[in-house]
């Protein structure tokens, strides 16, 4: 009898673990719809997981002193944010006001530029870096980074251009799965236009970008670019001038704990 009870408990634990693992999975099918900016997509739309009303953008104040885990009261669904705001070329640079009204901005910092910190329900931290416009109505997202583990450039030393695949990158940085989701969501566009597909990893010692090419059924690393100074490239095709360049400078209190 005792053995049967133990077996039942073990099975329940395995089921619970499987469900928990699935709920935190970074692998998901994204659907992207090309549409003008600020236009609601047709059909059903996934709703935000936030349960409390977000502050209006004008009410979000910069706080460079309080640790993020003391400011943030709710997590964000990384799939919802990426699919809605960064899954389509037309939605690469949402406005700060859109982000604040939707998923909320509870932790806003100002270093070289503005950035917000968000806790992902799938684990890790999500950073949104914005232009430095003081007017939140004009402030737009320049870049996003998702971090689940602390890494350095040296961790990628075994990656070989022309040989290693995006799956090899994912073994080192699990958040690469988000880029795989995006690739498959835009696969026809990628293959028809031959636009270079890329992924990036936010490291302790810089930003590491990988550029890929399709070889048969594999997405292979073509080349890479290492940015030790954390320079931010805009995610759209705008021309950048020297005075427009910003850096992804995190406060010490905003790094993911080791």
């Amino acid at each position: 009898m005792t053995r049967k009870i133990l077996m039942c408990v073990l099975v329940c634990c395995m089921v619970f673990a499987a469900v928990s693992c699935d709920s935190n999975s970074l692998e998901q099918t994204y659907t992207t719809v090309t549409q003008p900016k600020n236009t609601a997509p047709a059909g059903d739309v996934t709703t935000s997981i936030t349960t409390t009303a977000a502050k209006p953008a004008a009410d979000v104040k910069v706080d460079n002193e309080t640790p993020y885990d003391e400011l943030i009261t709710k997590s964000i669904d990384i799939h919802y944010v990426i699919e809605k705001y960064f899954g389509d070329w037309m939605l690469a640079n949402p406005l700060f006001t859109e982000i604040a009204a939707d998923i909320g901005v509870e932790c806003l910092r100002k270093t070289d530029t503005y950035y917000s910190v968000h806790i992902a329900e799938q684990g890790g931290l999500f950073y949104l870096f914005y232009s430095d416009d003081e007017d939140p109505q004009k402030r737009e997202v320049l870049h996003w980074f998702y971090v689940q583990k602390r890494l350095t450039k040296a961790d990628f030393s075994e990656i070989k251009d022309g040989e290693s695949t995006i799956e090899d990158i994912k073994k080192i940085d699990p958040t690469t799965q988000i880029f795989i989701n995006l690739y498959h969501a835009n696969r026809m566009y990628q293959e028809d236009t031959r636009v270079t597909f890329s992924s990036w990893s936010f490291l302790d010692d810089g930003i590491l970008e990988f550029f890929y090419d399709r070889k048969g059924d594999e997405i292979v690393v073509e080349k890479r670019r290492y940015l030790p100074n954390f320079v931010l490239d805009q995610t759209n095709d705008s021309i950048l001038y020297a005075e427009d360049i910003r850096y992804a400078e995190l406060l010490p209190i905003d790094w993911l704990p080791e």
Side-chain angles (χ1 to χ4, degrees):
M1 187 68 171
T2 303
R3 185 176 179 181
K4 287 184 178 180
I5 293 175
L6 289 174
M7 287 296 292
C8 289
V9 171
L10 180 60
V11 170
C12 289
C13 289
M14 291 176 65
V15 171
F16 177 79
V19 172
S20 299
C21 181
D22 182 68
S23 66
N24 291 328
S25 173
L26 293 186
E27 185 174 354
Q28 187 161 309
T29 301
Y30 292 169
T31 301
T32 59
V33 179
T34 301
Q35 59 184 333
K37 201 172 193 176
N38 299 326
T39 301
D44 295 333
V45 181
T46 305
T47 56
S48 171
I49 66 164
T50 55
T51 56
T52 57
K55 285 184 180 180
D59 294 338
V60 180
K61 305 302 181 184
V62 171
D63 182 339
N64 280 4
E65 303 295 331
T66 309
Y68 68 83
D69 55 354
E70 294 181 17
L71 293 171
I72 300 174
T73 63
K74 55 201 174 189
S75 60
I76 57 105
D77 178 355
I78 195 68
H79 297 304
Y80 171 79
V81 178
I82 297 296
E83 184 175 23
K84 179 173 181 179
Y85 293 105
F86 306 104
D88 190 277
W89 293 104
M90 297 296 290
L91 297 177
N93 293 83
L95 294 172
F96 175 80
T97 49
E98 296 175 75
I99 299 296
D102 188 1
I103 64 171
V105 174
E106 298 183 296
C107 179
L108 181 65
R109 312 295 201 189
K110 181 70 187 313
T111 51
D112 187 60
T113 191
Y114 291 95
Y115 73 90
S116 58
V117 184
H118 308 264
I119 296 175
E121 67 173 20
Q122 289 83 2
L125 297 177
F126 183 63
Y127 304 104
L128 288 171
F129 284 85
Y130 308 89
S131 59
D132 64 352
D133 293 275
E134 292 187 12
D135 184 354
Q137 302 280 352
K138 298 178 181 178
R139 192 183 306 154
E140 65 177 10
V141 173
L142 297 181
H143 218 307
W144 61 266
F145 299 97
Y146 181 32
V147 180
Q148 276 196 339
K149 59 191 294 191
R150 298 283 291 271
L151 296 166
T152 67
K153 181 188 177 186
D155 291 312
F156 298 84
S157 60
E158 298 300 317
I159 298 298
K160 295 180 173 57
D161 294 353
E163 296 181 22
S164 300
T165 68
I166 196 169
E167 293 292 336
D168 295 322
I169 305 296
K170 189 180 77 169
K171 291 175 184 177
I172 302 169
D173 183 357
T175 66
T176 304
Q177 179 63 54
I178 297 297
F179 296 95
I180 297 174
N181 297 344
L182 289 171
Y183 178 85
H184 290 295
N186 292 282
R187 182 170 176 176
M188 290 183 65
Y189 178 81
Q190 295 281 350
E191 295 178 353
D192 288 346
T193 61
R194 301 298 296 172
V195 171
T196 301
F197 176 68
S198 62
S199 71
W200 49 79
S201 295
F202 192 86
L203 313 175
D204 286 3
D205 52 358
I207 298 168
L208 186 56
E209 299 176 331
F210 290 97
F211 302 88
Y212 304 92
D213 191 18
R214 185 89 185 184
K215 292 185 179 179
D217 293 330
E218 294 187 321
I219 306 172
V220 179
V221 176
E222 184 181 20
K223 60 182 180 179
R224 74 193 74 187
R225 179 170 64 161
Y226 176 55
L227 304 168
N229 55 359
F230 293 91
V231 66
L232 289 170
D233 281 347
Q234 290 180 254
T235 52
N236 61 14
D237 295 325
S238 300
I239 297 175
L240 283 177
Y241 298 97
E243 62 270 21
D244 297 326
I245 295 175
R246 293 292 176 263
Y247 299 88
E249 180 185 348
L250 283 184
L251 294 171
I253 56 176
D254 290 333
W255 287 92
L256 185 74
E258 293 189 69

